Amino acid sequence: MTADPDLLDEMLRLGAAAGVELEVAQDVLAARRGYTSACLVLLGADAVSLGMRARVPRRRSVVIVAPNADSSEAWDCAYDIGAEHVAVLPLAEKWLVERLGRAQGERTGTGRVMAVVGGRGGAGASVLAAGLCVTAARSGLRTLLVDGDPLGGGADLLFGWEEEHGLRWPQLAEAGGRLDSQALVAALPSRGDLVVLSCDRAESAKDRPADGVPAPSLPAEVMRAALDAGRAGRDLVVVDLPRRFDEAAECALRSADRALLVVPAELRAAAAAAKVAGAALAHRYELSVVVRGPAPGRLNASEIAGALGLPLAGRLRSEPRIAGAIERGEPPAANAKGPLAIFCRRLIEEVMA
């Protein structure tokens, strides 16, 4: 995407050198048709501001190509637009030819990614993430839940799947590298259209690290590979994130089409959520608030969202029976007529639109 004739000539020349065919768009309107489905997007430095103003969807595999190092706007906007690299010509010619060559073997899927994080401990983010997956699968969407919290006890417990056969994060991390979407689905615990990548509970107290050793984290490169495979092979990927963001969580935040911050309707919860929101917004430009009832102090959902300076995704009514149902091995939103399922259906319709 560029309207600079000289830069376009250079891009076409490098594409020919790499043996790939480039589809050319001179503006955002022309680029929209293939922007999300292309395996690689080359964004001319002259088009960066146009993309920002038009709010092109954030995606992986975007390279900004600048005719010289003085293209300050390209560097300023690279993070916000989701670019993986700024290639300055002619210095980056060799790298760009190699990157174009690699793109032939890559495929960008059309699956949507949602990230869910709690504003404080026990906010209900994991329950919402699981409810989104159950609701999506019930409607016929091929769904993947990615458990991004190594200290969360394992997302498989939310479904009563702790004995279900399949790989968890430790085994997947050992494999590393690129993941084939079909192979990933076949290797993970699944029932119907729902597949779960869960952390495990194998670590015993005696095996835990000593005081002063950082808490366990998930490998960012495997998170990236899992999200890519999920986009390619699933309709919806939901990532349940920890409140302290490791590199894997940061990767998920940057990749998500929509991110939700779950905040109980309580004063201290809102205060804690402000810190989590600040950390999350360091890695993405959009974050919406889900306010979960009940509201013991009669705090209004709009007031909480306003105090956080974030848009309100909606208010989730209390559903007291969920906790007991989970203890019995029943997944969240199993009751298709309950408040959680109704709320999840609306969120899914919005992100899939």
Side-chain angles (χ1 to χ4, degrees):
M1 175 180 163
T2 180
D4 182 337
D6 295 330
L7 184 58
L8 176 58
D9 287 343
E10 285 298 300
M11 288 184 178
L12 292 174
R13 179 178 65 83
L14 296 173
V20 301
E21 181 181 354
L22 300 183
E23 181 179 346
V24 179
Q26 294 188 343
D27 54 37
V28 175
L29 184 62
R32 282 196 184 279
R33 181 169 61 88
Y35 192 87
T36 57
S37 60
C39 58
L40 177 67
V41 172
L42 300 179
L43 192 61
D46 62 297
V48 170
S49 60
L50 294 176
M52 290 290 292
R53 288 198 297 270
R55 298 183 67 83
V56 293
R58 194 178 179 90
R59 53 154 290 168
R60 285 179 46 76
S61 300
V62 175
V63 173
I64 297 176
V65 183
N68 54 66
D70 296 329
S71 304
S72 58
E73 190 171 43
W75 297 96
D76 292 341
C77 299
Y79 179 82
D80 291 329
I81 213 161
E84 68 178 45
H85 196 76
V86 177
V88 179
L89 299 179
L91 294 176
E93 283 189 3
K94 181 179 179 182
W95 179 89
L96 194 53
V97 169
E98 293 175 351
R99 183 66 184 87
L100 285 165
R102 293 201 309 273
Q104 288 184 301
E106 296 179 357
R107 180 178 62 176
T108 299
T110 58
R112 301 302 178 92
V113 176
M114 297 180 71
V116 184
V117 61
R120 67 155 169 81
S126 296
V127 171
L128 176 59
L132 285 166
C133 291
V134 170
T135 304
R138 184 164 50 226
S139 66
L141 294 175
R142 298 168 302 163
T143 308
L144 169 64
L145 173 62
V146 177
D147 181 2
D149 188 356
L151 296 178
D156 50 2
L157 280 173
L158 290 167
F159 305 94
W161 291 12
E162 56 268 29
E163 301 298 329
E164 197 78 14
H165 177 73
L167 300 184
R168 268 66 173 177
W169 262 107
Q171 296 81 32
L172 198 66
E174 290 177 2
R178 290 175 59 85
L179 299 174
D180 177 79
S181 58
Q182 292 183 348
L184 177 68
V185 170
L188 298 178
S190 65
R191 291 183 187 174
D193 286 324
L194 176 57
V195 181
V196 177
L197 171 54
S198 176
C199 295
D200 70 357
R201 295 159 298 283
E203 182 185 89
S204 64
K206 65 180 181 179
D207 295 326
R208 290 173 187 164
D211 292 342
V213 177
S217 60
L218 302 176
E221 65 277 8
V222 182
M223 172 66 83
R224 187 176 297 111
L227 293 177
D228 286 347
R231 278 194 188 274
R234 303 273 90 187
D235 300 309
L236 179 66
V237 180
V238 180
V239 190
D240 180 18
L241 294 177
R243 288 179 296 123
R244 289 183 177 272
F245 303 131
D246 55 16
E247 289 187 23
E250 292 169 3
C251 170
L253 280 170
R254 289 192 294 268
S255 300
D257 298 291
R258 188 171 191 189
L260 301 170
L261 176 68
V262 183
V263 184
E266 303 167 8
L267 181 61
R268 289 193 66 199
K275 296 181 180 180
V276 178
L281 289 172
H283 304 287
R284 61 180 295 108
Y285 59 88
E286 173 271 335
L287 183 67
S288 302
V289 178
V290 173
V291 177
R292 182 177 64 80
R298 299 182 181 275
L299 281 178
N300 182 279
S302 298
E303 292 174 342
I304 293 176
L308 294 172
L310 297 172
L312 179 64
R315 184 180 186 276
L316 179 57
R317 288 167 45 204
S318 176
E319 196 169 348
R321 295 182 179 179
I322 282 186
I326 293 174
E327 293 291 328
R328 295 190 298 271
E330 300 174 17
N335 176 10
K337 297 182 179 180
L340 177 60
I342 294 171
F343 184 71
C344 287
R345 277 199 298 273
R346 179 173 67 80
L347 292 177
I348 291 167
E349 288 171 359
E350 292 174 357
V351 79
M352 301 301 294

